[in-house]
């Protein structure tokens, strides 16, 4: 192990230990502010991680480094080395984001022991385990030469991690703890959210299967990976994804309208509902762009604007899943007087 690697790991451990010691001696009000800021930081970097993962797939950079967890034998190759080629850049930056999200997940777990433990610790532990599994799936993807099934699991599981993180953020807001209608929510609203959540998961799976199953590669004489995108034989996944988009969009718009009806309880419900409408509209527009670029990618053309917008389609889908899961958990709350909504 290189001296640089040892120093960086030592710094990370020192930060974790020092931050934990400082945090547990803070007042509850300060702990609340710090923990909330940490959750939003974890959420933000996870979104960045998913976007870089989507860019890695869009630019077909997944096999830039054939080993894991190292990159060509080292944990952190030199700046010039991974910046010298586009595929190395996307893949290694994706890995760096993954490492930092893991670091933040550990810190969240440690801090959750000192602030509202009953509310936060179990979910923070679950998120930490999910992040570890997600890293393992990433390693398996490389070990299996980006086998499409492991790549699909890797991509979708990242979105489930994001949904769990959004729920943890929700549990630490006034909306969840204080702004629930006194009579609670009607069971049919929870049913609507649950049904919509299931539909969104299916829709994301259909898109992920097409996105990764149509990807094939071969090695050149120099050992470099050459990617191709094969539409023939995989078109059924694409058109299933496109066809299913309409009923899913209707369900999401309906859920947004339902949430906005509670704006008299808190203005946040109006924002929540409008977020569904805005994100679904964006997803449809980004989906059109992704469809129009499919046959360009089949010819091996990966324009920068195309890859950025196609990756944005993936990330926006992840945000829709997270938002839907959060709405489901919110509408599952029974009474305002409950101290622990679960």
């Amino acid at each position: 192990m290189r001296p640089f690697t040892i120093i960086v790991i030592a710094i990370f451990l020192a930060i974790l230990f020092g931050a934990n010691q400082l945090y547990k001696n803070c007042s509850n009000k300060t702990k609340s502010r710090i923990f909330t800021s940490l959750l939003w930081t974890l959420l933000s970097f996870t979104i960045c991680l998913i976007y870089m993962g989507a860019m890695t797939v869009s630019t077909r950079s997944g096999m830039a480094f054939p080993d894991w967890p190292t990159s060509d034998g080292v944990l952190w190759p030199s700046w010039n080395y991974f910046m010298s080629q586009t595929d190395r850049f996307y893949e290694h930056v994706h890995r760096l984001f993954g490492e930092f999200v893991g670091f933040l997940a550990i810190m969240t777990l440690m801090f959750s022991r000192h602030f509202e433990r009953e509310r936060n610790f179990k979910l923070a532990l679950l998120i930490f385990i999910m992040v570890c599994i997600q890293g393992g799936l990433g390693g398996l993807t490389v070990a299996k030469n980006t086998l499409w099934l492991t790549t699909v699991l890797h991509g979708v599981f990242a979105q489930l991690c994001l949904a769990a993180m959004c729920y943890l953020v929700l549990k630490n807001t006034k909306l969840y703890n204080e702004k629930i209608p006194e009579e609670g929510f009607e069971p049919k609203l929870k049913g609507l959210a649950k049904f919509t959540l299931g539909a969104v998961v299916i829709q994301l799976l259909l898109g992920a299967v097409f996105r990764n199953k149509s990807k094939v590669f071969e090695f050149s004489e120099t050992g470099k990976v050459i990617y191709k995108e094969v539409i023939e034989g995989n078109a059924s996944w694409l058109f299933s994804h496109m066809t299913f988009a309409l009923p899913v969009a209707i369900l999401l718009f309906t859920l947004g309208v339902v949430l906005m009806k509670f704006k008299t309880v808190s203005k946040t419900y109006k924002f929540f509902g409008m977020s569904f409408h805005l994100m679904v509209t964006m997803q449809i527009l980004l989906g059109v762009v992704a469809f129009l670029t499919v046959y360009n990618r089949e010819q091996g053309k990966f324009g920068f604007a195309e890859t950025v917008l196609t990756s944005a389609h993936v990330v926006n889908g992840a945000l829709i899943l997270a938002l839907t899961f959060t709405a489901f958990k919110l509408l599952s709350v029974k009474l305002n007087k409950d101290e622990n909504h679960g």
Side-chain angles (χ1 to χ4, degrees):
M1 187 177 291
R2 297 186 306 167
F4 173 76
T5 303
I6 296 173
I7 292 172
V8 172
I9 293 175
I11 290 173
F12 280 156
L13 291 175
I15 291 173
L16 282 174
F17 178 78
N20 183 62
Q21 291 298 114
L22 290 172
Y23 182 77
K24 70 180 183 180
N25 294 321
C26 293
S27 64
N28 284 338
K29 186 176 182 179
T30 303
K31 285 180 180 177
S32 176
R33 289 201 300 265
I34 293 174
F35 192 70
T36 301
S37 299
L38 177 60
L39 291 180
W40 281 107
T41 304
L42 174 62
L43 195 65
S44 300
F45 274 93
T46 302
I47 292 170
C48 293
L49 171 62
I50 293 174
Y51 185 77
M52 285 306 301
M55 285 294 291
T56 300
V57 175
S58 296
T59 57
R60 301 306 185 233
S61 304
M63 289 298 292
F65 299 104
D67 54 338
W68 184 91
T70 56
S71 299
D72 281 352
V74 294
L75 281 176
W76 298 295
S78 66
W79 175 269
N80 291 335
Y81 184 77
F82 77 83
M83 288 289 290
S84 61
Q85 295 181 15
T86 302
D87 57 346
R88 288 179 183 172
F89 169 78
Y90 285 120
E91 172 62 9
H92 189 63
V93 171
H94 175 55
R95 293 185 182 192
L96 289 177
F97 270 113
E99 291 169 11
F100 193 62
V101 165
F103 175 77
L104 292 174
I106 295 172
M107 186 174 286
T108 300
L109 178 61
M110 294 172 66
F111 284 14
S112 69
R113 295 172 57 248
H114 306 300
F115 177 71
E116 297 289 349
R117 180 184 174 92
E118 291 300 318
R119 179 199 299 171
N120 297 313
F121 179 71
K122 289 182 179 179
L123 185 53
L125 178 60
L126 176 63
I127 289 171
F128 171 70
I129 293 172
M130 292 177 72
V131 169
C132 291
I133 293 173
Q134 175 65 2
L137 287 172
L140 187 62
T141 299
V142 174
K144 295 297 183 181
N145 292 331
T146 59
L147 182 68
W148 73 267
L149 180 58
T150 55
T151 309
V152 168
L153 291 174
H154 182 55
V156 174
F157 200 75
Q159 300 179 9
L160 296 177
C161 289
L162 181 66
M165 292 171 188
C166 281
Y167 178 39
L168 184 56
V169 171
L170 174 69
K171 291 185 74 174
N172 287 274
T173 62
K174 289 184 178 180
L175 181 67
Y176 185 83
N177 295 288
E178 300 175 13
K179 301 296 182 180
I180 303 298
E182 292 184 2
E183 67 278 8
F185 297 106
E186 296 181 29
K188 65 181 181 181
L189 299 183
K190 176 184 176 181
L192 171 64
K194 187 175 183 179
F195 186 76
T196 305
L197 178 62
V200 170
V201 171
I202 293 172
Q203 175 69 349
L204 291 177
L205 280 170
L206 289 172
V209 170
F210 168 74
R211 184 173 166 82
N212 292 283
K213 198 171 186 295
S214 61
K215 176 182 63 178
V216 297
F217 66 91
E218 56 189 28
F219 290 96
S220 67
E221 294 180 357
T222 60
K224 185 175 178 61
V225 176
I226 302 174
Y227 283 99
K228 298 178 181 179
E229 193 148 321
V230 180
I231 309 302
E232 185 179 355
N234 295 299
S236 59
W237 293 106
L238 173 62
F239 289 105
S240 296
H241 179 63
M242 293 171 60
T243 304
F244 199 54
L246 179 59
V248 172
I250 293 172
L251 285 170
L252 289 167
F253 267 100
T254 304
L255 187 57
V257 171
V258 167
L259 288 167
M260 290 174 68
K261 289 182 178 180
F262 297 98
K263 61 184 179 182
T264 54
V265 179
S266 173
K267 291 182 179 179
T268 308
Y269 285 102
K270 182 179 180 180
F271 172 77
F272 209 169
M274 290 177 65
S275 297
F276 273 102
H277 297 166
L278 176 63
M279 293 175 70
V280 172
T281 302
M282 286 180 57
Q283 189 69 351
I284 292 172
L285 294 175
L286 290 169
V288 171
V289 173
F291 172 72
L292 293 176
T293 62
V294 163
Y295 290 97
N296 284 342
R297 296 198 299 275
E298 187 177 27
Q299 297 170 11
K301 300 176 182 177
F302 301 99
F304 180 73
E306 295 173 351
T307 56
V308 167
L309 293 174
T310 302
S311 300
H313 181 60
V314 175
V315 175
N316 197 59
L319 290 171
I320 288 174
L321 173 64
L323 201 65
T324 308
F325 180 71
T326 305
F328 166 66
K329 298 303 293 185
L330 180 63
L331 293 172
S332 299
V333 176
K334 294 180 180 179
L335 294 174
N336 187 35
K337 63 182 180 181
D338 289 347
E339 291 183 1
N340 184 11
H341 300 312

